[in-house]
Amino acid sequence: MSLRSDIHGALLHARWRRALHNQRRLVAGIAVGCALIVAAVIASGVWLFASIRTGLPGKDAIGRMGTMAEATLIYDAQDKLAFTIYNEQRIDVPLSAVSPHLIRAIIAVEDQRFYNHHGFDLIRIASAALTNVRRGRAAQGGSTITQQLARQSFLTTDKTLRRKLQELILAERIEVLYPKAQILELYLNKVYFGDGLYGVEAASRGYFGKHASELSLSEAALLAGLVKSPSAYAPTTNLDRAIGRRNVVLQAMLDSGAINRPDWQKAHTAHVVLRDSLRGGDLRGRYFQEQLRQELVDRFGWMQVYQGGLRVFSTIDMAAQDSAEAAVAQSLKALDDRRSALAARLKRAVTNNTDDEPLQAALVAMDPRTGDVRAMVGGRDFAQSRFNRAVQARRQPGSAFKPFVYAAALEAGYTPATVLDHLNDQIETPQGNWAPEDEHSTAESMSLRTALRTSSNRAAVRLLQQVGIPQTVQYAKTMGVGDVPSVPSLALGSGEVTLQSLTAAYAAFANHGLVPRPTLIRRVEDTSGHVLYTNEPSPVRAISDTTAYLMSTMLADVINAGTGAGARRAGFTLPAAGKTGTTNDFNDAWFVGYTPALVAGVWVGFDQPHTILPNGFAAEVAVPMWARFMKAATHGDKPQWLLMPPDITIVNVCRLSGKLATSACEHLDVVDGRIEHQPAVYGEYFARGTEPTSYCDLHSSRGVIGVLASIFRSEPPPPPRPVEKAPAAQPVVDNAPPPASALPAEEPPKPKRGFWSRLFGKSKADQH
């Protein structure tokens, strides 16, 4: 019994020991398993944490968070904002330049405990989570302003746990590196407000036409409400929805104590008035904008122009630009109507198979003293064609080139009274003899002044032959009209020029012989106000001051009584000078003219050259456009003319011989092409030392020979008022009348055709 008990006990003990051993092994296994699980969890946590941190910006990158893409601002000639160039429409401003209303509104609706947390708000997160669980959807967000700044600066908008954890980490880092005020400033400059507007300053200007510092409470609440969903609440998209969201913000401000009830009531019922002062100019001056943009990119690079926030002080005068665009549009419509009426009358197309091509025009205006471009139109519609015909198109200028031939002659010692003879003789060329045609006269001789006023082709070619083609070509190059052919037809504008270069060349006549360099940029600054570029005028001396003045007196005759007289009939009365140009087959029409303060050139034609209108001289096609623009652009200007150089003298000469007048000349009438009687004696301008020294030998008597001489040597009509004294240095007084030589030409009465007129015929009025 005892032995059995012992054996049983031993067996029980062995079983117990075996069970205890198994238990220990199980516990050990469990412990090892738990350890492995804990290790795996820890490893997973470490891996997850490392994964979340991977790719996050470091301290240096967060320190550069304030560097944002910022719009380049373009200011006009009066330093007013005209338009912008941008990748993101943003204008950086300090917190001190933001309305306190907007700061309180943003904090009230986006982050009421902004000043009490360190990057993230656990209370806000918990509240948002409970709200979302109750509603079964993501109805409320828990991101603080700092978290939003982190997301906008460095993260995507993906709604994942990983991105949310990254946002929390970055928010804490930002709070360590930046004070609250700077965080708020960065946020307000970075946040998107819809309609392409980034930051509070761009949004304030783009929606309300005012600076962020000037916002009312109602306007500030509306902007603050856009942050939640800029596209949905933008007032330009849905004003009613924007107002509803504004009222939500106002209620949040009232509940948080940011405003009192009277202010809430006033803002809650305020009427919303939208006005875009930031991008309104973007639709004006599109050709100027594009030319300016290209020059900026060439100088500073794409990145700095589109994202660097440059401050560009341009030369554009927005009032002049508006006048230019209106003049081009009105003139093209008038010409289109004329073409349509002619086509209907003839019951056929006016031109060839290019009828579907729209008629184009270009205009450029600049300050003749500096070359600052005040207005530029490169075509009838920028949206349809960005090709800038004011700068890029090269066309033949026709008679608009003639002033350079005359300037070369004056530089060579000729005078306005110099008489050109043998005008009907043919010119020898390698292709054979050539005789240029004149529409207005077949006179055998005429003075330089008369020849330029009437745009005589024969006189211009004869003068070119006498002065010399090489010398004239050199003067043309110096004046900036480009490479021109060394042929006799050069005098008639057979070379090709751009409208801008031709206009700048004419500026030399108003700028004492100095050709200005056309410029669109006065100064460029960076966002800190440091000057990056300043334009330094660099005019080129092309002709003497004396020659420039003499040319201006001759070109003034063109406007007063010559081919440009249509400007006077259109009501433009300021002292001015200029020249028309019409090319073969009436393919191009030009007019370039100037006052002492403004030079403007216009061109009309088709991109693929063909006839504008039958007999479409520049006097009818281009001059009206120039007059429309100049009347508006110079409205209110005083009637001043150029100062006469000290080496200019005025001498009475005979209109027919160009020599000193005698008493016989004083009593002789000249019968011109319009059968108008004018005295043969007038006061002419001369460079001192070039005035004539011999007396007229044509009018020794008043007999039949003298009368016949006056008829057979008749010239096209002289100015309606003889130049007896310099039209310069007028007193600056209100409503002062323009100088006599610059008054509108009066149409002479048409006399009955008598014996002599029937015998010798009547010349056509010059229309070149």
Side-chain angles (χ1 to χ4, degrees):
M1 187 73 180
S2 171
L3 179 60
R4 183 181 297 175
S5 297
D6 291 341
I7 293 172
H8 181 70
L11 290 172
L12 289 175
H13 180 71
R15 288 176 181 174
W16 177 82
R17 291 184 63 183
R18 191 180 304 115
L20 181 63
H21 177 70
N22 290 337
Q23 187 177 15
R24 287 176 177 174
R25 289 180 64 184
L26 178 62
V27 170
I30 292 173
V32 171
C34 289
L36 290 174
I37 291 173
V38 170
V41 170
I42 293 174
S44 298
V46 171
W47 176 84
L48 178 62
F49 186 70
S51 173
I52 292 172
R53 292 172 59 91
T54 299
L56 289 181
K59 181 178 179 180
D60 291 342
I62 296 176
R64 295 191 300 270
M65 186 172 55
T67 303
M68 294 174 278
E70 189 175 346
T72 286
L73 305 182
I74 311 298
Y75 296 92
D76 65 12
Q78 288 75 40
D79 292 345
K80 295 180 181 179
L81 184 64
F83 28 78
T84 55
I85 301 173
Y86 58 90
N87 189 29
E88 292 182 355
Q89 182 69 282
R90 187 197 317 276
I91 304 170
D92 196 20
V93 292
L95 191 62
S96 59
V98 179
S99 167
H101 294 311
L102 182 55
I103 295 174
R104 288 195 293 267
I106 287 286
I107 291 176
V109 74
E110 293 297 327
D111 190 358
Q112 292 185 9
R113 278 175 290 279
F114 172 70
Y115 290 106
N116 299 321
H117 62 67
H118 297 287
F120 53 89
D121 186 350
L122 293 177
I123 297 176
R124 182 180 174 88
I125 293 173
S127 175
L130 289 174
T131 300
N132 294 339
V133 169
R134 276 198 310 268
R135 299 185 181 181
R137 58 186 178 87
Q140 182 176 326
S143 295
T144 64
I145 284 176
T146 312
Q147 286 176 259
Q148 293 180 47
L149 178 61
R151 181 171 64 249
Q152 292 164 2
S153 301
F154 303 110
L155 302 176
T156 67
T157 57
D158 297 337
K159 294 183 178 181
T160 63
L161 177 61
R162 182 175 185 274
R163 197 272 296 162
K164 195 67 177 180
L165 292 173
Q166 288 180 322
E167 186 179 291
L168 294 174
I169 294 172
L170 283 176
E172 190 275 334
R173 290 180 180 178
I174 290 171
E175 291 274 349
V176 171
L177 291 176
Y178 290 96
K180 289 287 186 179
Q182 193 169 0
I183 291 173
L184 189 58
E185 180 180 296
L186 289 171
Y187 175 82
L188 291 173
N189 280 307
K190 187 179 287 284
V191 69
Y192 181 54
F193 287 92
D195 204 22
L197 302 169
Y198 292 81
V200 293
E201 181 69 10
S204 298
R205 296 194 196 185
Y207 287 130
F208 301 115
K210 57 178 64 175
H211 294 289
S213 61
E214 302 169 336
L215 292 172
S216 67
L217 175 57
S218 173
E219 293 164 343
L222 191 147
L223 287 188
L226 300 180
V227 174
K228 179 180 179 180
S229 182
S231 299
Y233 295 123
T236 51
T237 302
N238 192 321
L239 183 57
D240 291 338
R241 184 180 293 178
I243 292 175
R245 178 62 180 167
R246 175 202 67 180
N247 295 340
V248 170
V249 175
L250 289 171
Q251 188 64 47
M253 296 179 73
L254 179 65
D255 295 342
S256 65
I259 57 174
N260 56 34
R261 184 161 292 276
D263 289 340
W264 171 86
Q265 182 64 36
K266 181 179 178 181
H268 189 272
T269 58
H271 180 63
V272 176
V273 179
L274 299 178
R275 188 174 76 86
D276 188 349
S277 66
L278 183 63
R279 297 164 298 183
D282 287 351
L283 299 178
R284 302 151 65 194
R286 299 294 300 278
Y287 287 101
F288 184 98
Q289 288 185 53
E290 177 59 17
Q291 185 67 20
L292 178 65
R293 185 196 67 81
Q294 292 179 20
E295 293 185 14
L296 288 172
V297 170
D298 289 343
R299 183 176 292 275
F300 297 103
W302 187 93
M303 188 72 70
Q304 193 168 8
V305 172
Y306 278 84
Q307 300 181 1
L310 299 177
R311 303 299 187 261
V312 180
F313 297 86
S314 77
T315 62
I316 192 172
D317 183 314
M318 294 308 293
Q321 181 64 40
D322 290 342
S323 299
E325 292 177 4
V328 170
Q330 293 168 13
S331 298
L332 283 176
K333 183 181 183 305
L335 290 170
D336 287 343
D337 291 345
R338 286 181 61 185
R339 285 170 49 80
S340 298
L342 179 60
R345 187 163 64 249
L346 299 177
K347 296 182 179 180
R348 61 179 176 82
V350 178
T351 54
N352 53 27
N353 58 5
T354 57
D355 287 333
D356 292 338
E357 180 188 355
L359 183 64
Q360 296 289 348
L363 184 153
V364 64
M366 65 183 71
D367 187 325
R369 297 157 295 192
T370 63
D372 289 353
V373 176
R374 301 303 186 199
M376 178 182 290
V377 179
R380 72 186 300 153
D381 190 341
F382 182 83
Q384 293 181 2
S385 171
R386 295 192 174 194
F387 181 68
N388 191 336
R389 295 155 189 84
V391 177
Q392 296 173 283
R394 299 184 63 84
R395 304 289 285 256
Q396 291 185 353
S399 293
F401 185 85
K402 289 176 181 175
F404 308 123
V405 179
Y406 285 79
L410 295 179
E411 288 283 285
Y414 286 68
T415 76
T418 298
V419 174
L420 297 172
D421 293 312
H422 305 291
L423 298 185
N424 291 324
D425 292 356
Q426 292 188 335
I427 306 296
E428 292 184 3
T429 70
Q431 291 75 31
N433 292 341
W434 171 58
E437 296 181 357
D438 275 340
E439 289 285 335
H440 60 282
S441 174
T442 58
E444 179 68 18
S445 65
M446 62 183 72
S447 67
L448 265 61
R449 177 177 292 277
T450 297
L452 184 57
R453 174 171 59 83
T454 59
S455 195
S456 169
N457 291 335
R458 295 172 302 124
V461 173
R462 177 64 61 187
L463 184 61
L464 176 65
Q465 291 291 104
Q466 294 182 8
V467 174
I469 293 177
Q471 292 87 338
T472 305
V473 168
Q474 185 57 50
Y475 275 108
K477 289 182 178 179
T478 305
M479 298 191 79
V481 291
D483 294 330
V484 291
S486 298
V487 295
S489 61
L490 169 65
L492 308 183
S494 59
E496 293 184 338
V497 299
T498 66
L499 177 61
Q500 180 171 268
S501 64
L502 186 65
T503 304
Y506 271 69
F509 300 134
N511 190 36
H512 310 287
L514 297 169
V515 181
R517 179 173 56 86
T519 182
L520 281 66
I521 303 170
R522 293 180 289 134
R523 187 175 76 257
V524 178
E525 298 176 356
D526 63 14
T527 53
S528 301
H530 298 130
V531 177
L532 304 179
Y533 168 78
T534 300
N535 176 61
E536 298 293 342
S538 53
V540 175
R541 169 66 67 186
I543 54 178
S544 68
D545 186 12
T546 300
T547 294
Y549 186 82
L550 293 175
M551 284 299 306
S552 292
T553 69
M554 296 166 68
L555 291 170
D557 287 353
V558 174
I559 287 184
N560 293 332
T563 59
R568 298 304 191 198
R569 292 191 292 272
F572 178 68
T573 60
L574 288 179
K579 184 69 183 74
T580 52
T582 307
T583 60
N584 290 341
D585 300 322
F586 307 101
N587 289 347
D588 303 88
W590 304 73
F591 188 77
V592 185
Y594 57 91
T595 67
L598 188 67
V599 56
V602 300
W603 166 87
V604 180
F606 290 96
D607 288 337
Q608 300 300 319
H610 60 278
T611 300
I612 301 169
L613 280 168
N615 293 319
F617 290 98
E620 298 179 2
V621 175
V623 171
M625 183 185 298
W626 183 89
R628 281 191 178 101
F629 167 72
M630 291 295 286
K631 279 178 63 179
T634 62
H635 180 71
D637 287 4
K638 297 185 182 300
Q640 296 176 301
W641 188 232
L642 305 169
L643 292 176
M644 187 170 67
D647 61 342
I648 292 284
T649 185
I650 303 174
V651 176
N652 285 341
V653 299
C654 174
R655 194 180 303 278
L656 297 181
S657 66
K659 298 179 180 180
L660 295 174
T662 66
S663 58
C665 300
E666 293 176 357
H667 300 290
L668 183 69
D669 287 340
V670 176
V671 182
D672 69 9
R674 294 187 298 188
I675 319 177
E676 181 185 30
H677 296 273
Q678 291 283 349
V681 180
Y682 75 105
E684 180 61 272
Y685 297 93
F686 295 93
R688 199 174 300 277
T690 65
E691 62 270 26
T693 57
S694 59
Y695 287 91
C696 174
D697 53 3
L698 295 178
H699 307 131
S700 58
S701 70
R702 180 78 174 144
V704 175
I705 295 178
V707 174
L708 289 176
S710 70
I711 294 174
F712 283 109
R713 296 180 62 85
S714 66
E715 301 173 281
R721 291 169 177 81
V723 181
E724 299 295 346
K725 58 182 179 180
Q730 298 298 309
V732 181
V733 295
D734 291 339
N735 301 317
S741 63
L743 290 173
E746 298 177 355
E747 288 293 329
K750 296 182 179 179
K752 297 180 179 179
R753 291 174 61 84
F755 171 77
W756 292 111
S757 63
R758 290 195 299 270
L759 176 62
F760 293 104
K762 180 180 178 181
S763 299
K764 297 180 181 179
D766 174 53
Q767 303 178 82
H768 281 64

